[in-house]
Amino acid sequence: MIEIRNLSKSYGKLEVLKNINLSINEKEVVVLIGASGSGKSTLLRCLNYLEVAQSGEIIIDSDKIDIAKTDLNKVREKVGMVFQHFNLFPHKTVIENIIEAPIYVRKKSKSEASAKAMELLKKVGLEDKANFYPEQLSGGQKQRVAIARALAMEPKVMLFDEPTSALDPELVGEVLQVMKDLANDGMTMVIVTHEMGFAKEVADRVIMLADGNIIEEGHPSDIFSNPKHERTQRFLNQIL
Ligand code: ADP
Ligand code: MG
């Protein structure tokens, strides 16, 4: 589903991603770990073309992305992204937030987009909040709306960048549960998270980034019980 070849990204002189190679299969759930500043967000942002890499190739769902020729909106339609801060439109209701892109980008009718939005709200357990405004919701509810909004574009891949880091601890579980359901439905997912219990339970593969390199990867049971790289050991000791 995703093929990254020789991807390098710098900001000025700072090399943030150094020749990353990574293949992710359809329906695979990959958890990215690594210290702050190791390049996790940059990698996700390159996958969604929020950042443009200096060199390398990204192929998503068989389409090679040539930045000069490709309509980036088409690429972004394939890749849903959920951020730490939910980025909902504050002056729009929950359902208006969800139907915005399907109507204006996908050119769906309002009734079709609304029906789909209600289906998604049901999936994330918020069908009774369709006409609420974001400020009337808890952080966990806002994040579930953000997930529904991303799903409304029917992406092939979902990227999550620390989706629960800004939440009060008691709200983390409801968001992780929605992500778990998505994984069980067969969504291809790349997730940056420090929730190692979730990673153990849901991830097919854990990838450790350090200084813009993939230094270790493997099944969560291997990585967590028997990390090979000294930096992985140190990182896990700090967060577990
Ligand atoms: P992580 O998500 O793993 O914490 P990031 O991908 O956000 O790491 O950042 C990796 C490195 O790139 C950091 O040193 C960060 O300061 C730098 N960086 C990220 N975004 C930018 C930017 N827009 N301009 C300059 N430097 C950036
Ligand atoms: Mg980050």
Side-chain angles (χ1 to χ4, degrees):
M1 182 59 76
I2 303 176
E3 181 84 40
I4 301 171
R5 291 185 194 141
N6 304 320
L7 186 74
S8 295
K9 169 76 188 168
S10 304
Y11 294 108
K13 285 194 181 127
L14 180 69
E15 266 190 287
V16 179
L17 298 176
K18 299 168 188 162
N19 207 37
I20 298 278
N21 285 284
L22 179 61
S23 298
I24 296 172
N25 295 321
E26 191 174 357
K27 302 189 178 186
E28 196 176 7
V29 178
V30 170
V31 165
L32 270 182
I33 61 172
S36 177
S38 58
K40 304 179 301 294
S41 295
T42 303
L43 181 55
L44 289 192
R45 292 168 64 82
C46 285
L47 279 177
N48 200 21
Y49 278 85
L50 291 169
E51 297 286 352
V52 176
Q54 273 83 8
S55 59
E57 271 179 11
I58 298 174
I59 298 167
I60 294 178
D61 188 32
S62 311
D63 285 342
K64 184 166 153 183
I65 298 162
D66 179 340
I67 301 157
K69 295 186 201 134
T70 313
D71 175 0
L72 290 185
N73 282 326
K74 281 271 168 290
V75 178
R76 292 190 185 123
E77 280 180 36
K78 290 192 181 194
V79 183
M81 183 136 176
V82 174
F83 302 90
Q84 182 174 351
H85 298 286
F86 333 106
N87 306 337
L88 298 175
F89 300 116
H91 56 289
K92 288 185 188 289
T93 63
V94 163
I95 191 156
E96 286 166 352
N97 266 278
I98 297 174
I99 64 177
E100 170 93 9
I103 290 176
Y104 291 101
V105 181
R106 277 279 172 89
K107 311 292 177 202
K108 289 202 174 171
S109 70
K110 190 170 180 188
S111 62
E112 191 190 349
S114 302
K116 174 80 185 170
M118 286 311 299
E119 209 178 283
L120 289 167
L121 280 173
K122 194 161 176 205
K123 196 181 173 87
V124 301
L126 292 172
E127 67 265 54
D128 57 336
K129 299 286 192 262
N131 297 310
F132 282 49
Y133 284 87
E135 65 177 14
Q136 298 171 296
L137 304 180
S138 72
Q141 290 170 334
K142 280 189 255 198
Q143 193 60 300
R144 287 187 279 149
V145 173
I147 294 171
R149 181 177 59 174
L151 291 173
M153 294 296 278
E154 300 172 335
K156 298 276 185 158
V157 175
M158 285 282 284
L159 310 177
F160 294 85
D161 195 354
E162 303 199 31
T164 60
S165 305
L167 301 177
D168 291 334
E170 75 273 20
L171 304 177
V172 167
E174 65 193 56
V175 173
L176 294 180
Q177 184 59 49
V178 166
M179 293 165 65
K180 217 178 283 181
D181 293 344
L182 256 185
N184 287 334
D185 289 349
M187 178 60 79
T188 307
M189 297 160 73
V190 185
I191 303 163
V192 175
T193 184
H194 296 297
E195 294 291 335
M196 295 300 126
F198 171 84
K200 264 182 205 165
E201 198 182 334
V202 181
D204 298 301
R205 187 158 37 134
V206 173
I207 293 178
M208 170 77 190
L209 271 184
D211 297 335
N213 292 301
I214 294 175
I215 61 164
E216 183 163 359
E217 60 178 297
H219 193 266
S221 58
D222 295 329
I223 296 264
F224 293 132
S225 59
N226 185 24
K228 291 188 181 55
H229 202 290
E230 179 265 331
R231 293 187 70 169
T232 315
Q233 293 165 7
R234 231 191 311 146
F235 175 76
L236 290 173
N237 282 337
Q238 278 165 2
I239 61 162
L240 287 176

